[in-house]
Amino acid sequence: MKKGLIGISNNVKSNKDKIRVWSESFKRYVPDGEVILLVANSTEEDIDAVKELGINYKIIDINIDPWYINNLRLIHTSEYLRESDIDLFMVTDVFDVIFQSNPFDKFDTDNYDFFVGGEGITVNEEPWNKDVLNKCFPTEVNHCVDTEIVCSGVMGGKRESLIPILEKMYDMCINSETNHNIRDQAALIILISKNEIERIKIFNLNDGWAMHCASSGPTEFLDGWGMGGTITNRYGGIPKMVDGVVCTHEGHRYDIAHQFNRIPEWHEILLKPYE
């Protein structure tokens, strides 16, 4: 099966180093994989920068405020996937995603088509996601409060299954209340809470697939919002760094570390191999 990684960026020249870590870490563990960057509202300098990175790219125009790029990326990504012959994709954020091993190795494609990582807490246990749901999808909140938060910044699966999911998320975003600029994750949580995504695999924090540092790592939110105790009670401990690698509390390597820039000491350590 052909494998690929796709993400979106504007201001590519300014963010070249972040994009390089994202793409090079993926190629390190998936050497036969293809990396595609959707380059939004590009300048000539942006195109020169992405060419220097040696990755594939597609120029796209975002004709409304790029502040809403999280929502708009969904339709541009699905359009690219429709034209692609790659079988399995990772669809991720770019600036704060680093790969620590091959994320496709844990894909059971006989039984699942779509893969995401749970954050170990429910909507009712985490204020940020609940706030977005209240602001943008107020009629859906009560249905979602006991749903585990999953992160739309790291999604994977079969190309033909990703396309309708991304398009459904996009439709929900553009038809929602416009009280928050980031709505894609709320849309995904709603779809999962309503069982509208078939053959979905939600990896938990002990599976070692993806770790989302903002909610599960040693940030101010872990104690400030009480999530550290919740995760420890539920999973036996919280993720940690072991010998320069982000690991489960039992010391097993995560394939993906997301939002690692939220933890300055982790950020510095993880970037060293790519300096």
Side-chain angles (χ1 to χ4, degrees), residues 59-96:
I59 298 171
I60 61 172
D61 291 320
I62 293 180
N63 297 318
I64 60 176
D65 190 344
W67 183 245
Y68 297 99
I69 195 169
N70 275 72
N71 313 316
L72 299 171
R73 72 183 176 99
L74 299 167
I75 193 63
H76 289 289
T77 302
S78 70
E79 288 172 356
Y80 187 93
L81 265 57
R82 285 190 177 278
E83 301 168 358
S84 176
D85 66 349
I86 294 173
D87 305 293
L88 294 176
F89 269 100
M90 289 297 305
V91 180
T92 76
D93 292 345
V94 174
F95 299 163
D96 60 356

Side-chain angles (χ1 to χ4, degrees), residues 221-234:
F221 304 115
L222 203 68
D223 292 328
W225 288 349
M227 297 185 298
T230 300
I231 291 171
T232 297
N233 290 336
R234 196 164 285 156

Side-chain angles (χ1 to χ4, degrees), residues 97-210:
V97 167
I98 191 167
F99 294 88
Q100 300 190 127
S101 53
N102 189 331
F104 299 107
D105 284 348
K106 292 187 176 72
F107 282 14
D108 174 5
T109 54
D110 291 332
N111 294 297
Y112 303 103
D113 297 333
F114 180 68
F115 304 86
V116 288
E119 298 194 9
I121 46 176
T122 66
V123 168
N124 220 25
E125 294 166 340
E126 197 275 309
W128 189 87
N129 281 278
K130 190 173 183 181
D131 179 62
V132 176
L133 282 158
N134 273 315
K135 288 177 175 176
C136 301
F137 302 95
T139 62
E140 304 287 357
V141 177
N142 288 338
H143 196 274
C144 297
V145 290
D146 294 323
T147 301
E148 182 179 10
I149 294 167
V150 297
C151 186
S152 61
V154 177
M155 301 181 287
K158 298 177 183 176
R159 182 183 64 85
E160 64 271 20
S161 297
L162 282 164
I163 292 168
I165 294 170
L166 293 169
E167 292 177 348
K168 190 175 290 187
M169 288 169 63
Y170 174 73
D171 287 341
M172 291 174 67
C173 288
I174 62 171
N175 289 304
S176 69
E177 301 290 337
T178 57
N179 296 319
H180 200 286
N181 66 308
I182 300 174
R183 307 171 211 154
D184 57 322
Q185 184 158 299
L188 179 59
I189 290 169
I190 292 167
L191 291 176
I192 292 172
S193 74
K194 292 186 169 184
N195 296 314
E196 293 187 22
I197 300 179
E198 297 180 353
R199 290 170 59 88
I200 179 175
K201 169 66 176 179
I202 301 175
F203 291 104
N204 69 45
L205 284 177
N206 288 342
D207 288 329
W209 188 64

